Structures are given as C-alpha cells and as structure tokens.
Amino acid sequence: MDDIDSAIVRELQRDARQTNRELARMLNIAPSTCLERVRALRARGVITGYRATVDLRALNRPVQALLTIRIRPMNREVIERFKAFLTSLPEVLNVYVVAGGDDFLVHVAVPDVDRLHALLMDQVFKRREVVDCRSSVIYQHVANDIVEALPPNGA
C-alpha cells in the first residue's frame, strides 16, 4: 500500500458514506483514479465491507461485559461447536478464541445486570464443556475507529 491507498483507507474508515467525488477531492486525486484504487483495495481484501455504527443504548443494550471462558476437553471440534453456540446468542457482539489461561473472550451487551446473570446461568453455565467463566462489566468503552498500517519489522 502506498500513501494514497493508506489515505483512502483512513478516510473511508472516518466516513464510508462519502461519495467517490468527495473522497477524490479530499485526497487531491482524480475521481477515476480514486474509484480504481478503491476497487483494487476491495479486490485485494484490504477493504472488506462497510458498516453502520450503532448506539447500543438505543438498542436497549446499555450494559456491556467481557466474559472469559475456559472449556474442556480442548480440541478443535469442541472449540468450533462452542464458538458457533456463542455467535448464535443475540447478546453476543464479539467472540475471540485466545491463548493463555482462558480459551474464549466474549463481548456481550444486554439491557441490565439481571439479563447478564440470566445469560450466564441459563445459557453459558448449562454447557457441559464450560469449566470456568468470569464476567467483567464494562464501565467505559472507547475504540480506535481508524486503523492504520504499521511498518514492517525493522523499518
């Protein structure tokens, strides 16, 4: 990726709804060049899609938590089955399979702590493969909305 590609990616992360003409004007390149580059970035898999960011409070999900979960037995089939189970739950926002003391890190958003408790008791703890689960309520959440490429090692 050159500087123009990086600028296109940065600007589309900032506002993916802007028109090609607006994007080209902001980057001081021709609209045809901009369109070709955006298409190439999509074809190379750099740009994988466009999303709307939503307010979780507006969707009646003001309480967020991170769950750390350990499962047994530890094998690919059990991991895949449990991952599929987690992603089928409407409360789940993100699922990470991790290394270390825990096997899964799960980001959930629910209406209140009673719903969080019900999720744990009625869904997660009922699974035979779950041997441990801890929850941490998130008080504040900030995210880097713009992800930049990092230089390769040694550069």
Side-chain angles (χ1 to χ4, degrees), residues 5 8-9 12 20 23 29 31-48 50:
D5 285 344
I8 289 170
V9 170
L12 287 176
N20 181 67
L23 180 60
I29 59 176
S32 59
T33 301
C34 187
L35 186 58
E36 284 179 35
R37 285 186 172 251
V38 169
R39 285 179 177 160
L41 288 165
R42 288 186 62 146
R44 291 186 356 233
V46 175
I47 297 173
T48 59
Y50 302 91

Side-chain angles (χ1 to χ4, degrees), residues 105-125:
L105 179 62
V106 184
H107 182 194
V108 300
V110 294
D112 52 44
V113 291
D114 290 336
R115 182 73 173 266
L116 176 60
H117 185 253
L119 171 67
L120 295 172
M121 299 306 291
D122 300 336
Q123 299 286 332
V124 176
F125 287 130

Side-chain angles (χ1 to χ4, degrees), residues 72-127:
R72 295 295 178 266
M74 181 55 69
N75 63 54
R76 187 176 305 275
E77 182 182 321
V78 173
I79 290 170
E80 291 302 319
R81 192 171 51 240
F82 191 67
K83 188 170 60 172
F85 159 72
L86 289 171
T87 58
S88 74
L89 298 174
E91 298 88 352
V92 171
L93 301 177
N94 297 288
V95 174
Y96 303 93
V97 179
V98 297
D102 298 306
D103 303 313
F104 287 87
L105 179 62
V106 184
H107 182 194
V108 300
V110 294
D112 52 44
V113 291
D114 290 336
R115 182 73 173 266
L116 176 60
H117 185 253
L119 171 67
L120 295 172
M121 299 306 291
D122 300 336
Q123 299 286 332
V124 176
F125 287 130
K126 285 193 173 182
R127 299 289 297 211

Side-chain angles (χ1 to χ4, degrees), residues 59-79:
L59 300 178
N60 193 29
R61 295 166 165 252
V63 176
Q64 296 180 63
L66 294 175
L67 312 178
T68 55
I69 302 172
R70 286 188 322 133
I71 61 171
R72 295 295 178 266
M74 181 55 69
N75 63 54
R76 187 176 305 275
E77 182 182 321
V78 173
I79 290 170

Side-chain angles (χ1 to χ4, degrees), residues 14-29:
R14 189 185 59 72
D15 180 7
R17 293 189 59 173
Q18 61 189 304
T19 66
N20 181 67
R21 190 173 308 281
E22 291 168 335
L23 180 60
R25 186 175 49 248
M26 184 172 293
L27 300 177
N28 202 26
I29 59 176

